[in-house]
Amino acid sequence: MTTSLTQLTIHESHERLKTGDVTSEELTQAYIKRIEAVDPQLNCYLTRVFDSALLQAKKADAQLKQKSDVTPLTGIPLALKDIFITKGIRTTCASKLLDNYIPPYNSTVAEKLDRSGAVLLGKLNMDEFAMGSSNEHSAYGPVKNPWDLTRTPGGSSGGSAAAIAADLCAGTFGTDTGGSIRQPAAMCGIVGMKPTYGRVSRYGIIAFASSLDQVGPMAKDVMDCALLLNAITGHDARDATSIAAPVPDYTHGLQSGIKGLTIGVPREYFIDGIDPQIENHVRSAIDQLKLLGANIVEISLPHTEYAVPVYYTIAPAEASSNLARYDGVRYGKAAPGAVDLADLFKRTRTEGFGPEVTLRIIIGTFVLSAGYYDAYYLKAQKVRTLIKQDFLKAFHNVDAIVAPTAPTAAFKLGEKSNDPLQMYLNDIFTIPANLAGLPGISLPCGLTENNLPIGLQLIGKPLDEATLLRIAYAYEQSTEWHTKKPSMQKSDAKK
Amino acid sequence: MNYESIIGLEVHAQLATKSKMFCACSTAFGNPPNSNICPVCMGAPGALPVVNFAAVEMAIKAGLAFGSQIQHKSIFARKNYFYPDLSKGYQISQYEFPLCLGGHLDIPLASGETKRISITRIHMEEDAGKLTHDYGHAEKSHVDFNRCGVGLIEIVSGPDMRTPQEAADYFRKVRQILVYLGVCHGNMQEGNLRCDANVSIRKVGDTKLGTRTEMKNLNSFKAVERAIAYEINRQIAAVERGEIIIQETLLWDDAAGKSASLRSKEDAHDYRYFPDPDLLPLIVTTDWIEGIRKQLPELAAAKAARFVRDYGIPEYDAEVLTAERDMALYYEKCIAVYNSPKKISNWIMTELLRELKNEGIDITACRITPEHLAQLVTLIDDGIISGKIGKDVFEEMYTTGHAPAAIIDTKGLKLVSDTSELDAIIERVLSTNQKQVEQYKSGKVAVFGFLVGQVMKETKGQASPQVVNELLKKKLS
Amino acid sequence: MTTTPAHMDDAIEHVAELAKLKFPDDVREHYARKLQMILESMKKLNDIDVSHITPTSHAVNAEGSLRPDEAKPSGIADALLQLAPERDGPFVQVPKVIDAS
């Protein structure tokens, strides 16, 4: 065994678990050890549940031994972004307001994971209420990028992406409202997918912007991504927006290649402001896809430039309403000693929400308020229609779209935290898929001169996750990028 | 100066579903506080609403009964405001695109004519929890979320009513229809129906509407009438004093018989309605609507007309019997057992309604089953008991709920019509009253009555007078 | 739709009241500046004529699924009640509510 257990992918671990070569308990112990050794530097885990993880591992070992109820995730140590409601396990959403919130109910995803026999190691850091692109907006401190500890891992699923990259869990699920899975996946050199809106139940996902939020897998490679997606996809009667469409086995057809597929390259995604190194690597990746037999055509998504202002109207509007429930009455941390009702509401919320969440509540409340609704909110919804139409038109001619995931590689901690507009622009390539409800995936396609990962994004037709995974798999298997591991060092110390 | 008042009502009716509007919690009234709650109605993080199918059907039923246009596509929106009884910080309602548009309702006027009140819209929404101000610590209020999330429809009328009486009549009529449809239990004490009134005044002859105020918390028919009368007087007095009416929300205090302004800093309401992203548009197909239309029950007016036509009872009786759906059903069940519509109607209208009123209960709580009431009338008609004894039996039935036959048996109230038994009694009476027998035989026919009376006395009134008559005549001839 | 600084200050005041937030003056100014900056960037949307476009409020063009009317206890009513920061007996407790609406 030259590679350590924690470096194994899910499918590799599964093979070993099945043969009895390794037990889930050993695997879980290996992750626990690594978390204890490495996480103090990264700050990925907000809550660790190692005792229950070891119990789950023992149960999984018994199942594996008896070959009963074994799924591809049985005995695999996973973790969850702290936005997923987990019954009996502290769920904070990285907010002080929910500092000691232990829910007595479960999210559908956590329930499904439990049934799959997976082992839950703990809950992962994120931007508070998933609002951020750098994981600097967590009430529990920022997460460091394992490729360079002076940089952010991206966000909002920053803890999740960093944990996978640093082998602190075998796989995880994030949520993606404007790029919160794909952008950190790109910045940490892992695979992250946002499925079609409605493909995965949102029940028990702490809401940020309900018409945009979607759960998706984050993994070490494309095969793992497909396995994780298999475990959580499908209609849920508890989510009225979940889609009642048949669910394929996403691991099938991964190897069937991409010959004859037409892939579009949107001209609006290669703009001024994109890091030339990113553009170069993405262009080479596109060449590679061509080499693998895909037809590459240039397309236009003319309303792309409006996606950021549309998103930063709609998402805060929905968030301002979604976050109204945190009033200190029924749960969460109430401001002590309130003199009256208004004081309870105002102090609970003002003291409880961090500055970025507060700013978004302000924006969202403003754009919905009397006199501004039409000029801001309604207008944004109309432009959203145009953005969606751009994609639908494009998909008449192409099977998928290829683009960079983010305009830059991981940026320095603190670099953009004072300039929301700069921060928001980092989501420019990921936001459109959310606005249109389309599936998207990010996978590694290179490293910058500073040894920072670069993400390749693929965007697909509604419910066509399978084609995205097929293209991603073909690309991944023909390159070495997914095998690169982070240095776990500070950039200054490197030289 | 003469003024006329312009009144519009918003009636909030709790839907008679088993579960809440967006979750599976029970809607049962009277359970311990905070026992019918779940993550959805408590607004717990991550919980999501899913619309109750039956609630939509009931709202459509109401729309059809009021002649509304049922919209094929309607949208749930969020009405955002903070209040401790509102668990999500917003109420899910319908705003720009409600389920039902238009409609009307005819109400009777004192003159005997009817007046058509227009209905602007009917939309679906959820109820809030209940605040208690008199529990425990005096400086605190207490919230029970059992009611939070119960389905409601709001029926908005046009500004078509002119008097407090008309408004109360309209409210009564709305309640009657909803109860007939089975979409609302209509229990005022339990708060199934609540009402807000928009009131303005103008000088007679003016065509422009005056500034209106909104009066909240009108939870009984009497409150509607009193509150609106109060508000009309208040506005007239203000105008007479040269004041300007300000648009405001008022809270009616029924116990004190007056209203108070709800004006506060927060009253600058800005609800920021927007489509609820958790709920996709509600699509209602023509097939669905037509299917529901076919199942619409007969409403009060149609039922009353049928009672007059088919049962031959007076219009007044028919109206009384159909005022409450449950009473009409009771009456029809009686008829099904014993087809004597007028007699049964008389028993209900005189005896039964009096007892129910005295006890302050409604027909659903009555201990006399329709079958038993019908049996009682049958027993009288068959001469088993007299009408007079029937009233005693009725009293007993009302108190105990026992069957009339059982009461008659145990109390021995049956009329004696056994001729051999009566023969012996008559022989005895005739032999002890030889003098009167002689008088009768000599042509003094009037003593016959005396003899009958003696027989009845001997039988303690339980002999059938007819049988006694016949037997006596035979013996004396 | 003017967004002068003075106007922005009033707007923040109004928004804070609606969203139940309360800031000292310097913090309010900080948010006023940021809000103004962001609103400025949204003006880009005025470039396009959207007068004939229908708004999109949901990512998918579907109808909502409905739920059968079956009442079922959550089984966690008490656990949910226990989460409330202030309780008294079976009630959730809050500071005295003066007016009711």
Side-chain angles (χ1 to χ4, degrees):
Chain A
M1 246 202 291
T2 48
T3 46
S4 73
L5 287 176
T6 56
Q7 286 184 348
L8 297 174
T9 62
I10 293 172
H11 54 96
E12 286 164 353
S13 293
H14 179 64
E15 290 309 315
R16 295 227 202 159
L17 286 169
K18 269 202 308 195
T19 58
D21 183 31
V22 67
T23 65
S24 172
E25 199 178 345
E26 287 165 340
L27 204 54
T28 305
Q29 286 287 11
Y31 276 105
I32 290 173
K33 243 194 197 153
R34 182 155 174 89
I35 293 165
E36 279 169 347
V38 172
D39 198 43
Q41 284 174 275
L42 296 177
N43 197 26
C44 290
Y45 278 83
L46 292 181
T47 301
R48 303 172 184 187
V49 287
F50 295 160
D51 289 345
S52 73
L54 287 166
L55 285 175
Q56 285 177 315
K58 279 183 190 146
K59 194 176 151 217
D61 282 332
Q63 285 173 328
L64 285 157
K65 212 167 168 187
Q66 290 160 14
K67 295 188 165 48
S68 73
D69 294 331
V70 174
T71 78
L73 298 185
T74 303
I76 304 289
L78 304 178
L80 282 174
K81 184 179 183 180
D82 208 19
I83 200 167
F84 290 87
I85 292 288
T86 43
K87 186 176 176 176
I89 298 173
R90 177 176 175 248
T91 302
T92 69
C93 220
S95 179
K96 265 192 266 177
L97 254 169
L98 294 175
D99 188 43
N100 205 16
Y101 186 65
I102 301 176
Y105 56 103
N106 235 344
S107 53
T108 298
V109 168
E111 228 163 53
K112 286 191 170 193
L113 270 196
D114 210 37
R115 253 181 275 139
S116 75
V119 172
L120 184 70
L121 292 165
K123 306 292 290 290
L124 298 170
N125 207 346
M126 54 185 281
D127 285 298
E128 184 181 3
F129 287 107
M131 296 177 193
S133 312
S134 67
N135 216 121
E136 292 169 290
H137 302 303
S138 164
Y140 303 96
V143 174
K144 315 280 168 57
N145 191 319
W147 292 83
D148 176 350
L149 299 179
T150 66
R151 291 177 189 268
T152 85
S156 67
S157 311
S160 300
I164 306 264
D167 298 324
L168 302 186
C169 63
T172 175
F173 295 97
T175 57
D176 190 316
T177 306
S180 279
I181 288 174
R182 290 161 290 157
Q183 185 256 24
M187 293 190 172
C188 292
I190 64 154
V191 181
M193 178 177 230
K194 179 201 98 74
T196 309
Y197 182 85
R199 187 83 273 205
V200 181
S201 169
R202 289 186 298 115
Y203 188 86
I205 311 308
I206 297 180
F208 162 14
S210 314
S211 82
L212 302 161
D213 295 345
Q214 187 58 199
V215 176
M218 302 176 80
K220 293 177 182 179
D221 68 6
V222 175
M223 174 63 90
D224 279 7
C225 191
L227 285 170
L228 289 169
L229 189 58
N230 276 347
I232 57 160
T233 307
H235 179 251
D236 180 7
R238 293 189 293 184
D239 175 1
T241 62
S242 96
I243 298 173
V247 179
D249 178 341
Y250 291 107
T251 61
H252 284 176
L254 279 185
Q255 283 107 329
S256 47
I258 59 170
K259 238 178 219 117
L261 285 181
T262 304
I263 302 176
V265 181
R267 106 172 46 101
E268 293 81 5
Y269 282 57
F270 296 87
I271 43 153
D272 289 345
I274 181 172
D275 180 338
Q277 293 189 71
I278 304 257
E279 173 158 4
N280 288 341
H281 275 94
V282 170
R283 295 258 185 225
S284 324
I286 293 168
D287 290 342
Q288 180 68 19
L289 293 173
K290 199 171 181 179
L291 218 63
L292 290 166
N295 285 322
I296 305 295
V297 296
E298 190 178 81
I299 59 165
S300 173
L301 299 168
H303 296 93
T304 301
E305 60 171 317
Y306 302 108
V308 171
V310 166
Y311 176 85
Y312 280 96
T313 306
I314 291 173
E318 293 182 13
S320 72
S321 176
N322 283 333
L323 269 56
R325 62 187 62 196
Y326 305 102
D327 59 4
V329 173
R330 294 164 315 286
Y331 47 77
K333 202 171 151 203
V339 296
D340 58 26
L341 191 64
D343 192 42
L344 172 70
F345 288 161
K346 288 178 184 173
R347 281 184 37 220
T348 294
R349 294 168 58 76
T350 306
E351 291 165 22
F353 293 130
E356 181 63 22
V357 173
T358 303
L359 176 61
R360 306 242 189 149
I361 292 174
I362 290 172
I363 299 168
T365 306
F366 182 86
V367 298
L368 287 175
S369 65
Y372 298 101
Y373 183 91
D374 286 359
Y376 289 99
Y377 180 75
L378 189 64
K379 174 155 245 171
Q381 278 196 316
K382 289 179 169 185
V383 181
R384 183 176 183 181
T385 305
L386 296 173
I387 291 167
K388 205 173 153 182
Q389 283 170 355
D390 281 357
F391 280 106
L392 295 182
K393 264 183 229 158
F395 281 124
H396 284 307
N397 305 314
V398 300
D399 299 299
I401 291 166
V402 62
T405 307
T408 67
F411 45 90
K412 293 268 187 188
L413 286 158
E415 187 184 328
K416 298 184 182 183
S417 49
N418 279 323
D419 186 348
L421 285 179
Q422 272 307 305
M423 191 71 100
Y424 298 169
L425 277 174
N426 210 266
D427 304 330
I428 188 163
F429 300 144
T430 45
I431 281 171
N434 296 83
L435 291 173
L438 301 171
I441 189 170
S442 176
L443 68 159
C445 74
L447 291 169
T448 64
E449 286 161 4
N450 289 334
N451 202 38
L452 295 172
I454 296 168
L456 179 72
Q457 183 180 213
L458 298 162
I459 298 169
K461 296 177 183 176
L463 296 176
D464 196 17
E465 287 79 7
T467 299
L468 292 190
L469 288 163
R470 197 171 126 201
I471 301 169
Y473 187 81
Y475 175 79
E476 175 190 85
Q477 294 302 308
S478 69
T479 61
E480 293 289 308
W481 300 115
H482 65 292
T483 63
K484 304 285 185 214
K485 285 283 168 190
S487 61
M488 294 287 293
Q489 279 173 1
K490 295 188 183 180
S491 54
D492 302 334
K494 218 169 58 186
K495 303 217 164 134
Chain B
M1 192 76 67
N2 274 329
Y3 294 90
E4 71 171 343
S5 44
I6 314 291
I7 305 157
L9 292 190
E10 293 167 13
V11 175
H12 302 256
Q14 270 185 4
L15 294 171
T17 51
K18 294 195 273 290
S19 63
K20 293 185 180 181
M21 182 76 207
F22 299 110
C23 64
C25 286
S26 166
T27 55
F29 182 82
N31 285 348
N34 293 308
S35 57
N36 300 342
I37 56 171
C38 76
V40 177
C41 56
M42 280 297 267
L48 295 172
V50 183
V51 178
N52 184 337
F53 176 84
V56 178
E57 288 226 310
M58 289 183 186
I60 294 172
K61 258 188 200 169
L64 291 174
F66 290 113
S68 305
Q69 288 295 316
I70 312 299
Q71 304 302 299
H72 292 300
K73 181 177 175 178
S74 61
I75 307 262
F76 287 99
R78 293 185 182 179
K79 178 182 184 180
N80 295 285
Y81 67 98
F82 286 87
Y83 215 66
D85 62 6
L86 190 69
S87 60
K88 300 183 292 295
Y90 57 85
Q91 179 197 30
I92 304 176
S93 182
Q94 293 188 311
Y95 182 58
E96 210 181 340
F97 303 100
L99 179 62
C100 311
L101 281 175
H104 57 81
L105 177 60
D106 294 334
I107 57 166
L109 294 178
S111 64
E113 293 166 68
T114 59
K115 177 173 178 176
R116 178 153 288 195
I117 308 297
S118 67
I119 285 168
T120 312
R121 56 186 274 159
I122 303 174
H123 67 253
M124 309 182 71
E125 58 186 30
E126 57 176 339
D127 212 340
K130 203 168 161 35
L131 273 165
T132 304
H133 307 292
D134 51 7
Y135 178 90
H137 201 298
E139 293 305 303
K140 304 284 184 180
S141 291
H142 295 88
V143 204
D144 171 8
F145 289 96
N146 282 352
R147 199 180 68 183
C148 192
V150 170
L152 295 176
I153 48 173
E154 180 175 333
I155 303 165
V156 182
S157 84
D160 297 346
M161 287 154 275
R162 292 293 173 268
T163 66
Q165 169 79 41
E166 278 180 24
D169 285 344
Y170 166 84
F171 191 14
R172 269 192 204 97
K173 194 85 189 155
V174 167
R175 176 188 171 277
Q176 187 193 52
I177 290 176
L178 295 178
V179 172
Y180 262 86
L181 292 170
V183 308
C184 178
H185 295 308
N187 191 327
M188 308 298 287
Q189 283 82 38
E190 292 179 8
N192 291 165
L193 278 158
R194 304 189 294 274
C195 174
D196 302 336
N198 291 304
V199 179
S200 65
I201 56 161
R202 66 180 170 197
K203 285 176 191 153
V204 171
D206 277 4
T207 47
K208 207 170 141 269
L209 289 173
T211 304
R212 68 188 166 91
T213 58
E214 185 181 7
M215 179 98 68
K216 287 185 172 288
N217 197 31
L218 311 180
N219 301 334
S220 70
F221 304 121
K222 212 171 268 167
V224 166
E225 219 170 317
R226 289 176 69 203
I228 294 173
Y230 177 92
E231 178 58 14
I232 292 169
N233 289 336
R234 188 191 71 85
Q235 290 190 14
I236 291 174
V239 170
E240 300 266 278
R241 281 196 304 270
E243 292 170 17
I244 289 168
I245 304 293
I246 36 171
Q247 185 164 350
E248 63 181 332
T249 304
L250 302 158
L251 187 72
W252 175 248
D253 180 343
D254 204 44
K258 58 182 191 179
S259 65
S261 175
L262 271 178
R263 229 174 329 143
S264 63
K265 207 176 164 194
E266 292 95 308
D267 202 39
H269 280 312
D270 182 348
Y271 290 123
R272 290 155 287 135
Y273 284 98
F274 74 104
D276 190 334
D278 287 330
L279 295 166
L280 299 174
L282 176 63
I283 305 297
V284 178
T285 61
T286 304
D287 281 357
W288 192 9
I289 298 170
E290 292 314 310
I292 293 170
R293 196 194 298 277
K294 279 190 200 118
Q295 295 164 18
L296 280 184
E298 182 184 42
L299 298 180
K303 213 182 253 296
R306 180 167 60 80
F307 283 6
V308 171
R309 192 178 66 237
D310 293 0
Y311 300 149
I313 59 172
E315 261 180 50
Y316 175 75
D317 289 25
E319 204 179 296
V320 172
L321 290 172
T322 55
E324 292 286 331
R325 180 185 68 152
D326 291 323
M327 180 55 83
L329 293 178
Y330 186 95
Y331 176 65
E332 290 197 276
K333 276 189 196 156
C334 292
I335 305 285
V337 177
Y338 182 52
N339 192 11
S340 182
K342 180 56 189 162
K343 281 185 183 151
I344 286 173
S345 161
N346 285 346
W347 275 93
I348 293 176
M349 304 262 303
T350 54
E351 307 299 320
L352 191 59
L353 283 177
R354 186 192 63 233
E355 295 292 342
L356 292 173
K357 198 180 168 202
N358 285 345
E359 200 184 343
I361 58 168
D362 68 33
I363 188 68
T364 51
C366 180
R367 286 170 296 271
I368 303 181
T369 65
E371 290 75 17
H372 288 169
L373 186 66
Q375 284 163 11
L376 177 66
V377 180
T378 315
L379 288 166
I380 296 166
D381 279 3
D382 290 352
I384 308 295
I385 52 169
S386 66
K388 191 162 168 287
I389 288 182
K391 296 211 168 154
D392 299 337
V393 174
F394 177 87
E395 299 288 334
E396 189 72 14
M397 287 164 71
Y398 188 82
T399 325
T400 63
H402 293 158
I407 295 169
I408 291 165
D409 269 355
T410 42
K411 300 219 155 178
L413 298 172
K414 202 182 235 169
L415 293 178
V416 179
S417 47
D418 181 334
T419 47
S420 60
E421 202 180 318
L422 277 177
D423 267 346
I425 295 169
I426 289 171
E427 288 296 333
R428 208 161 55 239
V429 168
L430 293 182
S431 63
T432 51
N433 295 286
Q434 288 292 335
K435 198 178 144 201
Q436 282 80 2
V437 173
E438 291 306 318
Q439 285 175 337
Y440 178 80
K441 286 189 171 165
S442 63
K444 213 173 173 190
V445 196
V447 285
F448 187 76
F450 168 79
L451 292 170
V452 171
Q454 291 303 304
V455 177
M456 293 307 281
K457 203 169 154 193
E458 287 280 309
T459 60
K460 296 188 181 85
Q462 288 177 35
S464 165
Q466 273 163 297
V467 179
V468 171
N469 268 334
E470 277 168 35
L471 285 177
L472 250 184
K473 267 186 188 152
K474 223 161 53 183
K475 295 269 177 205
L476 291 172
S477 62
Chain C
M1 200 180 19
T2 49
T3 47
T4 62
H7 175 81
M8 222 8 63
D9 222 40
D10 289 348
I12 291 279
E13 190 75 33
H14 177 60
V15 160
E17 186 56 44
L18 289 176
K20 297 286 177 255
L21 297 165
K22 193 177 175 64
F23 310 119
D25 289 350
D26 55 329
V27 177
R28 189 173 62 239
E29 275 165 34
H30 163 85
Y31 285 120
R33 269 198 311 278
K34 288 206 169 173
L35 176 62
Q36 184 166 19
M37 202 162 99
I38 287 155
L39 292 179
E40 211 53 48
S41 78
M42 289 173 182
K43 285 193 174 157
K44 191 186 189 72
L45 298 182
N46 294 335
D47 297 353
I48 347 172
D49 175 17
V50 289
S51 48
H52 297 102
I53 310 289
T54 35
T56 294
S57 41
H58 297 96
V60 286
N61 295 327
E63 57 184 281
S65 52
L66 303 173
R67 178 178 70 72
D69 183 26
E70 285 157 10
K72 206 179 109 201
S74 68
I76 56 167
D78 194 54
L80 288 166
L81 180 63
Q82 297 307 317
L83 291 171
E86 268 198 57
R87 295 177 305 278
D88 188 358
F91 290 103
V92 172
Q93 181 169 286
V94 293
K96 194 84 179 175
V97 178
I98 315 287
D99 62 8
S101 68

